[in-house]
Amino acid sequence: MAVLLLPAIAAAHPLGNFTINHYAGVRIETNRILLDVVIDQAEIPAFQARLGFDTDGDGELSAAEIDAGRVAACRSLAPSLDLQVGGARQGLELTEAGLAFPPGVGGLSTMREVCGFAASLAGPIAAGSQVAFADRSFGERLGWREVVIQGSGVTVAAAHGELRTTSISRRLTFYPTTLLAQALADTDVAVTATPGGPTLAPLDIPDAAPLPGTGDATMASVSGSTGGGTAAAAPGGPATSGAVPGGVSGGELPSIFRSADLTPLVLLLSILTAAALGAGHALTPGHGKTLMAAYLVGTRGKPLHAAGLGLSVALSHTLGILVLAGLVVGAQGILPPDVVVKTTPLIAAASIVAIGGWMLIGEARRRFRRRAAAVEHDRVHALGAAHEHEHPHEHPHEHESAAGEHSHGGLRHTHLPPTGSTISWRSLFVLGLAGGLIPSASALLILLGSIAAGRPAFGFVLVVAFGLGMALVMGGIGLALVVARGRLDRVEAASPLGRAGAYMPLVASFLVLGLGLYLTVQAVSGNTTF
């Protein structure tokens, strides 16, 4: 019962290693507006971004590539920032930029992009002016979005959206655990600005450095040339980035995967560790265990079916990881990987609804046939009694065999459902593919980390080992369920437990269908876990 109930109470997280998180600090002054914009990318989008910054293709980012990348990244971000005063869009000038790659998990890094912009106003801000801001960058990607608006010599009041005057996330370096279940989603924020109020200290962006030749008097236009010379590196080294909400934490991926020398012992330990991670992944809430339990019980599966179901889950999961890694590395401009992560739960849930409906229809037909057989049985009894009355002689009436078969007057039949009659390998593998369709961030990070280290083949082997660890656990759970159901089948049918056992296939059908509908709702809302 605990295995069946865990997926229903597990709270899925909307953020993780795919997220791109946003912070925008808007400071309104009497004659200009300053922006402090931070984009904190988790391991997977950061892996994609690094491919673009690595202009010489050597797999490493030099100081010159990072220096050029910080300016290029902020310039490409500027068109997605919509700052309006009185309904008129303001031009943004890039004044500061910073780019750092804090360490992530699986040998990968995250990416912290910091941009300072300034918008000079045509005249002093007028009383009752409406200032609106929207960050439309990476609109299709998952992530935290936070907008903070302050006035310096100007008083601001909320006009549209929630007015935040301090950063909840400390500029994306700390994510409050109380808000992780539902990330901030500040998209369009507007305030009413009126001259007057305390003057704040000059804006200091600690993890960005001014562009060459820029300052309060001279600023580089976003639409203009980058100018000559080399931009100064961001001071203080990489910014400290808080753990990205959800996904995989640093302690979940062992350092053995990043070992410099792949000796036979390291290779063996890495494979065993990956298999153990896969087994642990299969033991987390859900991952098809409830579906496997209901399906094998409801369809009277055999041990071979349990092994096949576990292997199909592992195969689906491994193929999904390889496809997703291909999108991350080679097709990032065509289909963002987090779009796949958001759509696969819906596909899997729809498949489970179809299988649950098929099981329920099959069970209803079986029960209808059994009732019809019972009616025929009574008719045969009635005819047999009349026949014996008119022509008194003996007719053999055999006792039920172990399989539940018996005969009356030479008519041999059974009232028990034929074992395995409602199971098919096709539906079994469809269920297994649906159960393993949602990829594990751990497995994906293992593969991407190996690719980043120049060992794609090693990463492939580790992902396969991860899938085999899943198959071992899933198959073992299925085998235990099949054995338990076999024991129940041998219980006396007239006993309370035996009568309850007769309803298990019907209950299992409703369970698979109900869980499929529940997962469909969760997939639509973006809160799905298996």
Side-chain angles (χ1 to χ4, degrees), residues 77-92 119 132 134 136:
L77 177 66
S80 301
L81 305 178
D82 185 7
L83 176 65
Q84 297 186 13
V85 177
R89 182 162 183 169
Q90 305 297 303
L92 298 178
R136 309 191 191 283

Side-chain angles (χ1 to χ4, degrees), residues 83 144 182 191 207 220 223 309 314 371 384 395 403 406 444 452 502 519:
L83 176 65
W144 176 286
Q182 185 62 51
V191 298
D207 38 9
S223 58
L309 191 52
R371 180 166 297 182
H395 285 285
H406 58 279
L444 181 59
L519 291 174

Side-chain angles (χ1 to χ4, degrees), residues 22-28 33 35 80-88 90 129-136 144-151 156-166 168 184-193:
H22 306 244
Y23 165 82
V26 181
R27 174 179 288 197
I28 304 174
I33 299 177
L35 299 182
S80 301
L81 305 178
D82 185 7
L83 176 65
Q84 297 186 13
V85 177
Q90 305 297 303
S129 298
Q130 186 173 79
V131 179
F133 175 80
D135 177 1
R136 309 191 191 283
W144 176 286
R145 292 178 178 270
E146 180 182 4
V147 177
V148 172
I149 300 182
Q150 296 178 323
V156 296
H160 174 71
E162 183 174 353
L163 173 60
R164 305 182 195 280
T165 57
T166 58
I168 298 175
L184 289 188
D186 296 341
T187 52
D188 297 276
V189 180
V191 298
T192 300

Side-chain angles (χ1 to χ4, degrees), residues 11-206:
H13 207 291
L15 305 178
N17 305 96
F18 293 88
T19 59
I20 297 180
N21 306 290
H22 306 244
Y23 165 82
V26 181
R27 174 179 288 197
I28 304 174
E29 299 181 354
T30 55
N31 59 354
R32 66 176 183 174
I33 299 177
L34 304 178
L35 299 182
D36 170 17
V37 180
V38 182
I39 305 294
D40 185 15
Q41 301 196 19
E43 288 87 353
I44 293 172
F47 180 91
Q48 296 175 294
R50 287 179 66 101
L51 296 177
F53 294 137
D54 184 15
T55 54
D56 59 11
D58 64 352
E60 299 290 338
L61 292 183
S62 65
E65 287 173 330
I66 294 177
D67 190 42
R70 70 181 183 118
V71 178
C74 288
R75 292 192 185 282
S76 63
L77 177 66
S80 301
L81 305 178
D82 185 7
L83 176 65
Q84 297 186 13
V85 177
R89 182 162 183 169
Q90 305 297 303
L92 298 178
E93 298 174 311
L94 180 63
T95 60
E96 298 181 71
L99 186 65
F101 296 91
V105 297
L108 300 174
S109 64
T110 61
M111 189 178 87
R112 184 174 176 85
E113 173 187 346
V114 183
C115 306
F117 296 98
S120 298
L121 302 180
I125 197 118
S129 298
Q130 186 173 79
V131 179
F133 175 80
D135 177 1
R136 309 191 191 283
S137 62
F138 307 105
E140 76 284 1
R141 307 297 292 264
L142 298 171
W144 176 286
R145 292 178 178 270
E146 180 182 4
V147 177
V148 172
I149 300 182
Q150 296 178 323
S152 179
V154 174
T155 302
V156 296
H160 174 71
E162 183 174 353
L163 173 60
R164 305 182 195 280
T165 57
T166 58
S167 175
I168 298 175
S169 67
R170 303 175 193 170
R171 298 178 68 247
L172 305 185
T173 60
F174 172 79
Y175 296 91
T177 56
T178 56
L179 296 177
L180 294 186
Q182 185 62 51
L184 289 188
D186 296 341
T187 52
D188 297 276
V189 180
V191 298
T192 300
T194 303
T199 300
L200 303 179
L203 179 63
D204 177 31
I205 303 178

Side-chain angles (χ1 to χ4, degrees), residues 11 50 102 120 127 140 147 195 223 242 291 328 363 382 388 409 477 480 503 520:
R50 287 179 66 101
S120 298
E140 76 284 1
V147 177
S223 58
L291 299 173
V328 170
E363 180 63 17
E388 289 175 2
I477 292 174
Y503 287 96
T520 301

